[in-house]
Amino acid sequence: DITAKLTDTIIVCSYNPKNQSASMISIPRDTFVGKDKAQAKGSDKINTLYHKNPEKLLKTVSTMLGIDIDYYAVVKTQALIEIVDIVGGVNFEVPINMDYDDPTQDLHIHLKQGMQKIDGEEAEKLLRFRHNNDGTSYPANYGDNDYGRMRTQRAFITETIKQTIDFKNILKTKSIINTIFDNIETNVVIDELVPYLPTAVGFEIDSIENYQLPGISEKCNNLWFFVQDKKETKELVKE
């Protein structure tokens, strides 16, 4: 199991080589991890834990899900941008029209709905999008704002993996590996990955199951948090 961080998003990933199953669970960055909701403060959001210590984040996520997670990978956005460009872009179905500008960050997102080839620069914008200039966001049945963004991130990561391991990209493997290890911070040791390679090569990427941590948005001490539903989480993890 690996916890990966992308644009302040925490994703728990699991791969079982015995039955060739894999899954991703997104954890909202404003998930409450404090002890007392009545005294909640900004630092009680889970995304602040990484900045303190990745190992502490690993422990917290393990406790939340009730499983022992051994490894983490902190993924710089640059890694995804470079990989997408190395493979010549990723064909992806953009779920909605995206029209957002933030001059303070020099961020300008303008993508049309529908299937298209996304390059590295567009990939970063796609994964950062939450809502449009007029306040509209993803439809409710997709998951609005952060929830919609997490769903798009999981879908794009899946497509990127699928198209990266395509046979036509086999000659680019060295460049891809160098890009990955130049842009991540991880406690994974390469030797520990080697035994998984024979089975991983034959893995069907379309079988990856995507989920979000169960819970609701709740105002605690005048701040908005995502509050985990522990019972539903237990059922989801068991499944």
Side-chain angles (χ1 to χ4, degrees):
D1 296 317
I2 297 177
T3 296
K5 179 176 179 291
L6 174 68
T7 58
D8 281 336
T9 295
I10 300 164
I11 304 176
V12 179
C13 308
S14 179
Y15 169 58
N16 187 326
K18 292 181 180 179
N19 58 17
Q20 286 290 61
S21 64
S23 61
M24 293 192 289
I25 301 178
S26 293
I27 298 178
R29 60 181 185 171
D30 57 354
T31 299
F32 180 75
V33 292
K35 295 181 179 179
D36 183 2
K37 288 193 286 186
Q39 301 295 323
K41 49 190 181 295
S43 58
D44 288 329
K45 294 184 178 182
I46 196 167
N47 67 330
T48 64
L49 289 180
Y50 159 70
H51 299 287
K52 294 178 180 178
N53 187 331
E55 294 287 351
K56 188 171 183 179
L57 173 62
L58 196 66
K59 280 186 180 178
T60 300
V61 175
S62 294
T63 300
M64 289 172 63
L65 298 185
I67 56 177
D68 292 324
I69 305 176
D70 299 311
Y71 306 110
Y72 69 84
V74 181
V75 184
K76 296 179 183 177
T77 307
Q78 189 63 28
L80 187 68
I81 293 172
E82 291 184 20
I83 289 172
V84 169
D85 283 337
I86 288 171
V87 301
V90 171
N91 294 314
F92 185 71
E93 182 87 30
V94 178
I96 64 170
N97 288 328
M98 298 180 177
D99 184 28
Y100 177 76
D101 297 280
D102 183 353
T104 62
Q105 298 185 62
D106 193 25
L107 176 62
H108 304 281
I109 305 173
H110 302 289
L111 294 170
K112 293 294 184 181
Q113 181 179 11
M115 179 61 71
Q116 56 201 277
K117 181 159 284 189
I118 302 292
D119 64 23
E121 183 180 350
E122 291 169 331
E124 180 183 12
K125 295 176 180 179
L126 174 76
L127 300 185
R128 292 181 68 180
F129 176 82
R130 293 175 58 198
H131 58 76
N132 290 303
N133 289 325
D134 62 4
T136 59
S137 183
Y138 295 100
N141 62 353
Y142 187 90
D144 64 1
N145 282 280
D146 264 347
Y147 308 141
R149 176 167 63 177
M150 288 186 292
R151 181 170 176 176
T152 297
Q153 288 174 342
R154 294 193 304 271
F156 189 77
I157 289 170
T158 300
E159 282 303 315
T160 301
I161 294 171
K162 184 195 305 182
Q163 294 174 47
T164 297
I165 64 173
D166 189 280
F167 183 76
K168 65 182 175 62
N169 290 318
I170 196 70
L171 296 178
K172 302 172 184 176
T173 301
K174 184 177 180 181
S175 295
I176 292 170
I177 291 175
N178 287 339
T179 295
I180 291 172
F181 282 93
D182 283 345
N183 290 284
I184 67 170
E185 172 192 340
T186 182
N187 62 349
V188 177
V189 178
I190 295 298
D191 291 346
E192 294 173 336
L193 293 178
V194 173
Y196 290 91
L197 293 180
T199 50
V201 167
F203 179 70
E204 292 292 332
I205 304 299
D206 286 331
S207 65
I208 294 177
E209 297 186 31
N210 292 297
Y211 305 98
Q212 180 191 302
L213 184 74
I216 60 170
S217 292
E218 185 177 329
K219 202 168 189 178
C220 308
N221 197 26
N222 292 318
L223 294 172
W224 281 103
F225 291 88
F226 179 82
V227 179
Q228 171 192 12
D229 184 315
K230 294 183 179 180
K231 182 178 179 181
E232 286 191 23
T233 299
K234 186 175 181 180
E235 292 174 357
L236 174 61
V237 172
K238 182 179 179 181
E239 179 185 337

